Amino acid sequence: MNTAVRDLPAPAMFEFDASNWKLAILAGLAISILAALALPASLSFWVIGAMAAMIAAVFAINAYRRKYYGGLLVAPAIAVLFVMNIFPLLWSLGLSFFAYQSNQQTIRFIGLNNYIKVLTNDIAAPANWDALINTGMFVVSTVAAQMIAGFLLAMLFAKQFPLRKYLLILVLTPMMLSVVASGVFFTYYYDPTFGILSYAIGEVTGEQFILMDNKLGAVTGIVFADAWMWSPFVMLLVLAGLVSVPKYLYEAAAIDRVSKWRQFWTITFPYIRGLLMLALLFRTIEAFKLYDLVYILIRGGQDTKTIAYLIAEIANEQNKTSEGAALSYVILFMVIVLTNLYLYLANRRNQGA
Amino acid sequence: MANSTSILEWLGFRKASGVTEAGWGHTLLVGIVSFIYFLPVLFIIFTAIKPQDLALSVPPTISPTSLFGLIPDQYVFTPTLENFGSVFSRVMTPGGSPEATGFDRFFFFFIFISSVSVLLALVIGTFAAYGFSRYPLKGNDTYLFIILTTRMLPAIVIVIPVILMFRVTGLSGSYLGITLLYTAFNLAFTIWMMKSFFDELSTDVEDAARIDGSSEAKVFLKICLPQVVAGLAATFVFGLILTWNEFLFALLLSNADTRTVPVAMNQAVSSGGRGTDWTLLASIETLFLIPVFLVTFFLQNHLLRGVTFGTVKR
């Protein structure tokens, strides 16, 4: 659509032009390095920042003049993400190769030792593997529960009926609560002496019911709370897909006497596949980071520690920042593999369809 | 699918959405399911209006009214609004006089910073999503994937470098720092979500407009953007909810004056060493629910209208 517009020639290497990004990078780098060497850290930080802004501005001018709209549109997002997320991410990646504790001043390069330690150390590694297995279990069970519950809820709301608007907001509220508060209230619901659940079961069976006194009960409690909180998320995405299916497709299918089951797979599913994938992707990523509920509900007891819980414990309570970073990069690697698998499967299906 | 019917639909002559009509019977079914789903929240709201001494009573009190004798008296409590007052001003030290807790300020600033950061993320993210969708760069998927990875690490890992960075720049403990961080925090989701909405649109109408001489800016503003209003609304609501719930960054990056509501809530409830103050927690939570509840409610028409309502599907 925009083939004929990139006819403005690129500026020569040393031509002083507002769109000459090569020269801008060169000058920016030189000044940044000089500033880092000559000025104190607090000042050079701003100089380097200014240089980065200058290079960004030159790129923007270049993109605008030559109509590279893609780059121009994407640039602000990339810039914000780079400063606030990717840069800290790289920083902690660097940190994982050092021996560093946040309560001490010393820092020492130790190469891959942190990684070797978290994966093979006699004391640390078995705990990590346990936590990893727990995390896997939580990811599978919470995501499955959310997808199923969210999907069923969406099916209920995919029709037009009286009071729909008011009922939908009731279902959406669990997601709006602060995780801190609703988690704390779940400890109350599950409490063996005061809690509603134990009271209700106690009234029926006559015995005191304690949900959290074994691993299965604890996991069920956590999965239930998490699924309750985040099923509306899946529901809203699926609902967005369901209501976008053109009605005439169903009408045509009804004329052809296509079974409901086949209608679902040939008409409905293609329309919600993308959004279902998005929900699956984001819920899986979030499930890998499951920490707050495990902490609030049971403080990691009954062998329910997840990897995120362990990382927080190592990095925050034991101050072993670099070890925590190393462990989290092991996890990041796994999440990347998994999400790539998702995306690969999604794309393959798209091309196949 | 781009035939004359679709063009008519695009002009708004006929509904393209697959929403079928259902009667009161369906309302009853959905009502029961929704009510059961809502019960834990209802209990929190009821705890907020309970007298403080009944918060941990056995058997638990579950209703402010007996519903004309339907619920036995032992489960009924008399509602009170006292707890909401103690959110803003209460006795902090034993034997002292009531003090202001500063919650009015926390609420106001938190509403302010979360709306600013979500809107900022929505603007920047929508531009980026449109760019990724319509003008693919070299290695487009790689960029998108890198953006996604920013959500993959546990917050605790990113937060340590961010603290160091904020300390150097003087952003530590300021509202500006938290706003910027939350903007970035929302961007990944915004971009992925909006991209999937833009991808759903057919390019036929856009190409027609280009042939008629519309500028690229006009194509974006006048043709693409109106079609994804539902997507914008959904993304805004999600972003607001995610920001509104964020705890760890806020805990480690705010100071006594710039606390966000979840942090202040945690502080208020766990301070004093007498265990959880259930009625206080419930009343803060209930107040906390109101703004995002209202926003969701008013954006709901967009959420429900159908994402590609009246558009030409690809």
Side-chain angles (χ1 to χ4, degrees), chain A residues 209-282:
Chain A
F209 176 76
I210 306 169
L211 177 72
M212 300 298 236
D213 71 343
N214 57 45
K215 187 175 178 179
L216 183 69
V219 170
T220 315
I222 294 167
V223 170
F224 181 81
D226 196 62
W228 177 75
M229 248 178 265
W230 293 109
S231 294
F233 177 88
V234 180
M235 182 200 80
L236 213 50
L237 284 181
V238 174
L239 190 59
L242 284 178
V243 296
S244 72
V245 184
K247 209 172 171 181
Y248 61 81
L249 289 181
Y250 289 122
E251 286 161 5
I255 291 166
D256 290 344
R257 301 200 178 175
V258 177
S259 70
K260 283 276 175 217
W261 180 248
R262 231 186 113 80
Q263 273 186 33
F264 176 78
W265 284 109
T266 50
I267 302 173
T268 317
F269 189 68
Y271 271 86
I272 58 172
R273 189 171 54 206
L275 289 162
L276 214 53
M277 208 61 206
L278 201 67
L280 192 65
L281 199 63
F282 272 89

Side-chain angles (χ1 to χ4, degrees), chain A residues 45 77 156 160-162 165 173 175 177-178 181 188-189 194 199 228 231 240 243-246 271 285-286 289 328, chain B residues 1 16-18 20 22 26-27 37-38 40 43 56 59 75 124 151 157 169 241 245 285 293 300 306-308 313:
Chain A
F45 185 90
L156 279 180
Q160 184 61 52
F161 52 88
K165 207 175 156 180
T173 23
M175 191 168 57
L177 293 174
S178 161
Y188 171 75
Y189 299 143
F194 305 109
Y199 179 79
W228 177 75
S231 294
V243 296
S244 72
V245 184
Y271 271 86
I285 290 174
E286 295 295 316
K289 301 194 290 185
S328 52
Chain B
M1 228 180 284
S17 100
T20 45
H26 196 73
T27 304
Y37 207 79
F38 186 68
F43 188 82
L56 283 180
Y75 299 116
I124 298 175
R151 289 305 297 267
V157 184
T169 49
I241 287 170
N245 277 328
E285 181 63 44
F293 196 89
Q300 235 194 359
V307 189
T308 44
K313 268 297 277 215

Side-chain angles (χ1 to χ4, degrees), chain B residues 177-199:
Chain B
I178 293 184
T179 310
L180 281 175
L181 190 69
Y182 280 173
T183 307
F185 172 83
N186 277 321
L187 259 179
F189 182 70
T190 310
I191 292 173
W192 273 75
M193 183 113 170
M194 288 316 297
K195 181 180 178 288
S196 74
F197 282 112
F198 281 126
D199 283 348

Side-chain angles (χ1 to χ4, degrees), chain B residues 7 10 202-214 219 223:
Chain B
I7 301 293
W10 181 70
S202 158
T203 47
D204 295 355
V205 184
E206 288 164 48
D207 290 341
R210 281 201 189 90
I211 290 165
D212 289 346
S214 285
V219 168
I223 292 172

Side-chain angles (χ1 to χ4, degrees), chain B residues 5-307:
Chain B
T5 339
S6 326
I7 301 293
L8 279 179
E9 281 163 2
W10 181 70
L11 291 169
F13 283 110
R14 209 201 298 176
K15 259 190 179 178
S17 100
V19 176
T20 45
E21 299 278 331
W24 282 97
H26 196 73
T27 304
L28 189 69
L29 171 72
V30 181
I32 293 168
V33 174
S34 309
F35 181 73
I36 293 171
Y37 207 79
F38 186 68
L39 272 180
V41 183
L42 193 68
F43 188 82
I44 296 179
I45 296 171
F46 281 167
T47 307
I49 54 171
K50 252 180 215 183
Q52 211 176 359
D53 52 324
L54 283 182
L56 283 180
S57 60
V58 180
T61 49
I62 51 167
S63 169
T65 92
S66 66
L67 280 178
F68 312 109
L70 212 65
I71 297 168
D73 273 347
Q74 49 175 341
Y75 299 116
V76 178
F77 62 89
T78 348
T80 162
L81 288 177
E82 229 170 69
N83 299 320
F84 291 109
S86 71
V87 171
F88 298 105
S89 152
R90 67 174 177 279
V91 180
M92 305 278 254
T93 46
S97 54
E99 293 169 57
T101 53
F103 250 97
D104 42 354
R105 208 179 63 236
F106 296 145
F107 268 113
F108 175 76
F109 278 112
F110 193 40
I111 290 171
F112 183 72
I113 61 168
S114 39
S115 9
V116 168
S117 56
V118 175
L119 276 177
L120 211 59
L122 199 58
V123 172
I124 298 175
T126 307
F127 278 128
Y130 187 71
F132 280 126
S133 177
R134 291 296 189 273
Y135 309 96
L137 303 162
K138 245 184 249 164
N140 208 31
D141 291 346
T142 317
Y143 284 113
L144 276 166
F145 195 76
I146 290 173
I147 288 172
L148 193 64
T149 43
T150 59
R151 289 305 297 267
M152 289 179 189
L153 276 188
I156 187 85
V157 184
I158 308 174
V159 86
I160 294 159
V162 171
I163 290 173
L164 297 172
M165 205 166 78
F166 274 19
R167 221 173 268 162
V168 174
T169 49
L171 283 172
S172 172
S174 69
Y175 283 122
L176 179 67
I178 293 184
T179 310
L180 281 175
L181 190 69
Y182 280 173
T183 307
F185 172 83
N186 277 321
L187 259 179
F189 182 70
T190 310
I191 292 173
W192 273 75
M193 183 113 170
M194 288 316 297
K195 181 180 178 288
S196 74
F197 282 112
F198 281 126
D199 283 348
E200 291 288 306
L201 300 181
S202 158
T203 47
D204 295 355
V205 184
E206 288 164 48
D207 290 341
R210 281 201 189 90
I211 290 165
D212 289 346
S214 285
S215 67
E216 294 295 313
K218 217 168 183 175
V219 168
F220 173 63
L221 290 173
K222 291 275 158 84
I223 292 172
C224 289
L225 218 47
Q227 293 185 66
V228 293
V229 171
L232 289 171
T235 313
F236 183 79
V237 168
F238 278 140
L240 199 65
I241 287 170
L242 289 176
T243 313
W244 200 232
N245 277 328
E246 205 289 318
F247 180 68
L248 192 69
F249 282 129
L251 178 70
L252 295 173
L253 289 171
S254 60
N255 60 27
D257 292 325
T258 55
R259 271 178 213 155
T260 65
V261 176
V263 176
M265 172 159 58
N266 191 46
Q267 224 98 13
V269 170
S270 57
S271 69
R274 289 160 307 182
T276 314
D277 187 341
W278 294 98
T279 49
L280 181 68
L281 177 65
S283 22
I284 299 173
E285 181 63 44
T286 308
L287 289 176
F288 176 84
L289 203 57
I290 294 170
V292 72
F293 196 89
L294 287 179
V295 171
T296 314
F297 190 76
F298 287 119
L299 287 178
Q300 235 194 359
N301 283 340
H302 293 298
L303 290 180
L304 283 177
R305 201 175 53 167
V307 189

Side-chain angles (χ1 to χ4, degrees), chain A residues 132-212:
Chain A
L132 194 62
I133 292 165
N134 279 337
T135 306
M137 180 192 66
F138 276 122
V139 168
V140 172
S141 49
T142 57
V143 173
Q146 286 161 13
M147 297 302 284
I148 293 168
F151 191 83
L152 292 177
L153 283 171
M155 291 300 259
L156 279 180
F157 278 98
K159 293 187 177 114
Q160 184 61 52
F161 52 88
L163 303 180
R164 180 191 191 207
K165 207 175 156 180
Y166 302 93
L167 293 176
L168 184 71
I169 195 126
L170 288 189
V171 177
L172 290 181
T173 23
M175 191 168 57
M176 300 172 197
L177 293 174
S178 161
V179 181
V180 179
S182 47
V184 172
F185 261 90
F186 265 96
T187 65
Y188 171 75
Y189 299 143
Y190 296 158
D191 192 280
T193 13
F194 305 109
I196 284 182
L197 184 71
S198 297
Y199 179 79
I201 292 178
E203 286 289 281
V204 177
T205 63
E207 286 168 39
Q208 192 187 30
F209 176 76
I210 306 169
L211 177 72
M212 300 298 236

